[in-house]
Amino acid sequence: MSIRRRTRQREAILAALRDAPGPLSAARIREAAEREAPGLGRATVYRALRALREEGLVSVVELPGEEPLYESSGRGEHHHFRCRTCGRVLDLPGVLFGVPEGTLLPGGHRVEECSLLLGGSCGDCLSGGGRTTGRAG
Ligand SMILES: [Zn+2]
């Protein structure tokens, strides 16, 4: 594969993650990136995601009951919202509640990270504009 083609695939994957309203599964990334880089294969997407993670450009979001999701790094601290209707996982960038880093908890535990997952119905689904095709891959 030419370097140029590989660069284009990387750019397409990064753009898909940048434009997404929340973290995406590898399948969704492939779907979105394929518009820019037609013929993008599954293995290529995984390989690119691994490389982008090693470079610190992409991070993995592990949520209970979900396959690994990916998001671009540097989105700042944010929590996630999972819609029970359409299955999308969305970023909540402005929602800053949680336990601040460095907080000492009873028992002497120090908080070093805090990630919350909220669930419910997303705005699109509530307003009738959501996708009703079931859980997104
Ligand atoms: Zn929804």
Side-chain angles (χ1 to χ4, degrees):
M1 185 186 300
S2 74
I3 286 175
R4 197 168 151 187
R5 175 145 184 240
R6 200 157 60 214
T7 304
R8 185 157 163 208
Q9 290 170 338
R10 265 173 67 103
E11 292 305 318
I13 287 169
L14 284 172
L17 289 171
R18 207 173 40 231
D19 296 344
L24 300 176
S25 66
R28 291 292 310 280
I29 292 169
R30 182 181 165 197
E31 220 176 271
E34 235 192 337
R35 281 173 234 138
E36 289 299 315
L40 194 59
R42 203 177 127 93
T44 306
V45 171
Y46 279 106
R47 205 163 39 235
L49 285 171
R50 196 163 54 232
L52 291 166
R53 278 177 67 185
E54 279 163 13
E55 291 167 49
L57 295 172
V58 165
S59 10
V60 182
V61 180
E62 304 269 6
L63 299 177
E66 297 276 345
E67 60 184 308
L69 303 175
Y70 302 85
E71 65 185 8
S72 41
S73 303
R75 289 199 160 201
E77 193 182 336
H78 63 275
H79 302 303
H80 294 110
F81 183 93
R82 180 160 57 196
C83 177
R84 289 176 177 159
T85 306
C86 65
R88 286 188 303 169
V89 177
L90 304 166
D91 284 353
L92 293 176
V95 180
L96 295 175
F97 56 76
V99 181
E101 195 182 317
T103 301
L104 281 176
L105 300 173
H109 317 301
R110 190 182 65 217
V111 174
E112 289 168 358
E113 59 173 272
C114 173
S115 63
L116 294 177
L117 174 64
L118 304 179
S121 304
C122 76
D124 286 349
C125 286
L126 281 178
S127 63
R131 300 172 319 182
T132 52
T133 51
R135 293 180 53 81

